[in-house]
Amino acid sequence: MTIHLVGDLMILAVTLRVFGKDTLTLLRHLAAAGVRIGVSEMSRRPHEGKEGR
């Protein structure tokens, strides 16, 4: 391993340590928003008098 590769791996490890928890929290919030959107689409009633196919 070269010293540059070791340095890059250390920077990656520190970055993951610092921002890892925030990234997981953001992904959980995005997943929850997707579920809420899906539930609201499923529970939405079709408009009365609109032609169906």
Side-chain angles (χ1 to χ4, degrees), residues 2-53:
T2 65
I3 193 72
H4 295 291
L5 181 59
V6 172
D8 289 343
L9 290 175
M10 288 179 63
I11 289 172
L12 177 64
V14 170
T15 303
L16 288 174
R17 175 84 172 145
V18 170
F19 295 111
K21 189 172 184 178
D22 292 335
T23 303
L24 286 176
T25 303
L26 178 63
L27 289 174
R28 285 184 185 137
H29 284 252
L30 289 173
V35 169
R36 283 193 299 266
I37 290 170
V39 168
S40 68
E41 286 293 319
M42 288 173 47
S43 63
R44 190 172 70 175
R45 294 181 182 170
H47 294 287
E48 295 294 326
K50 188 175 181 181
E51 292 183 28
R53 290 186 179 189

